[in-house]
Amino acid sequence: MAAGNNGASTPEDDDPFGYLYADGQTAGAQARQGGGYGYPGPAAQPGVPRTSYNQVRAVGERQYGGGGGQVPPQAQYQQQYAQPNPQYAAPESYPGADRTRPVPPVPSPQRGGPNTKGLLIGAIAVVLVVVIGITVAVLTNTKDDPKGGNASGGGSAPPTAVQQSPSPKPSQSAEEPVELPKQDAATLRLGGPARLGTDIKGAKGADGAYVMFNGTGGSASWTVDVPADGPYTLFLSYSVPGKDANATLSVNGGSPREIRMKNFAHAPEGDWEKGWTYTYSYAELKKGSNTMTMSCEAGNQCEAYLDQVWLQQGQVKG
């Protein structure tokens, strides 16, 4: 078929998408309501064959804006949305915001599974500790009770005894008896007719010496220090010839009192050697120095020999 002017807007020469481009819109291209092509071709000239508005090009070869100054729709879309939108900008992009705020590092996930080897070792250690504890309890219980139980009939192990260090001995208090001096009668201060003797055996004084009253007025005085005021007991060892005797005691020059010197040894009359015994008398002393005088006064039966004297704190019995 021979080529010729087929008239305006023939289908084969129109661009079907001409209304989508800027140059087509400038040329007045519009989409048709009933479909078809919307890129208008050049005005028909009588006697001149119509030439296609656009030449056929390979895909991707078409250039935009070449001399026409038009920007394709894709470029307009990229320019429009390439600018940041203030509504969706990050807070640190605002003026005055800290743009250098550090971002916390994201910990890298651990590689590999759980440490099953360590868990297995821990479980085995726990089992061993439990087994050892049970074994020790059973052995201890069996050692304490051969029948396998404790004294109350149960099977539990007895409590472990706690070893305690011995507590120090308490210091001697004022209420406890205090060791006081003991003295030979032969060392006392004698008065009147009193004399020393050594003929009778059994005396405990040094060299067996003792004191004899030798009648009325004979005396022996003892001066001694005590730690505190209070009651004391005076002990006196003596000998009588198988019969009772008595004497007088005075403390610090106070009122005299009787000292009973009985034959507690039950010696036969006249036997001085078997008559050694002792007696005691209570006295109220003051702290410090005190003088006690044993004497033979009128009315006393003073046939007795003095051996030793000593004190104890408080009122005690021999």
Side-chain angles (χ1 to χ4, degrees):
M1 183 175 180
N5 188 0
N6 296 325
S9 301
T10 55
E12 63 271 15
D13 294 328
D14 290 340
D15 188 346
F17 301 104
Y19 69 93
L20 296 177
Y21 302 104
D23 54 349
Q25 294 176 3
T26 303
Q30 293 181 357
R32 295 182 182 182
Q33 298 295 330
Y37 305 99
Y39 205 110
Q45 298 180 7
V48 178
R50 181 180 175 178
T51 304
S52 176
Y53 187 82
N54 289 323
Q55 300 298 324
V56 178
R57 298 179 178 87
V59 176
E61 186 178 352
R62 182 179 182 90
Q63 300 293 331
Y64 294 94
Q70 300 295 330
V71 181
Q74 294 86 345
Q76 293 180 1
Y77 178 82
Q78 292 177 358
Q79 292 177 359
Q80 178 181 358
Y81 292 98
Q83 300 297 328
N85 192 332
Q87 295 182 358
Y88 300 99
E92 58 270 16
S93 64
Y94 295 156
D98 185 6
R99 300 176 179 270
T100 60
R101 184 177 58 183
V103 179
V106 179
S108 59
Q110 296 182 354
R111 298 183 178 181
N115 190 358
T116 56
K117 183 177 180 180
L119 295 177
L120 179 60
I121 294 176
I124 294 175
V126 172
V127 173
L128 290 178
V129 170
V130 173
V131 172
I132 293 174
I134 295 174
T135 304
V136 171
V138 172
L139 293 178
T140 305
N141 189 21
T142 306
K143 181 179 179 181
D144 293 339
D145 187 358
K147 296 181 180 181
N150 54 21
S152 61
S156 60
T160 306
V162 179
Q163 184 177 2
Q164 298 181 351
S165 58
S167 58
K169 295 182 180 180
S171 58
Q172 191 176 32
S173 63
E175 298 180 355
E176 296 179 356
V178 178
E179 185 177 357
L180 297 173
K182 184 176 185 179
Q183 193 164 342
D184 295 339
T187 62
L188 303 182
R189 180 168 58 85
L190 303 182
R195 297 290 182 270
L196 298 181
T198 57
D199 295 337
I200 305 302
K201 295 180 180 180
K204 296 181 179 179
D207 298 328
Y210 49 86
V211 174
M212 300 179 295
F213 287 114
N214 278 339
T216 302
S219 65
S221 297
W222 183 30
T223 301
V224 63
D225 290 340
V226 295
D229 297 345
Y232 290 83
T233 302
L234 170 66
F235 287 90
L236 173 65
S237 63
Y238 62 94
S239 177
V240 291
K243 58 182 181 180
D244 296 340
N246 60 12
T248 299
L249 172 65
S250 61
V251 178
N252 296 324
S255 300
R257 72 193 66 175
E258 180 186 11
I259 302 176
R260 295 182 299 172
M261 306 174 75
K262 292 186 176 182
N263 183 23
F264 294 117
H266 304 288
E269 189 174 352
D271 193 348
W272 290 88
E273 186 175 346
K274 292 184 179 181
W276 292 107
T277 185
Y278 71 94
T279 188
Y280 60 90
S281 179
Y282 298 141
E284 193 73 19
L285 304 180
K286 61 183 178 65
K287 181 179 179 181
S289 178
N290 296 267
T291 300
M292 293 172 285
T293 300
M294 293 143 286
S295 62
C296 180
E297 303 296 334
N300 292 141
Q301 302 295 326
C302 304
E303 196 173 359
Y305 298 157
L306 304 181
D307 183 15
Q308 291 180 322
V309 289
W310 67 93
L311 284 176
Q312 285 191 13
Q313 194 172 19
Q315 293 182 352
V316 297
K317 293 182 179 181

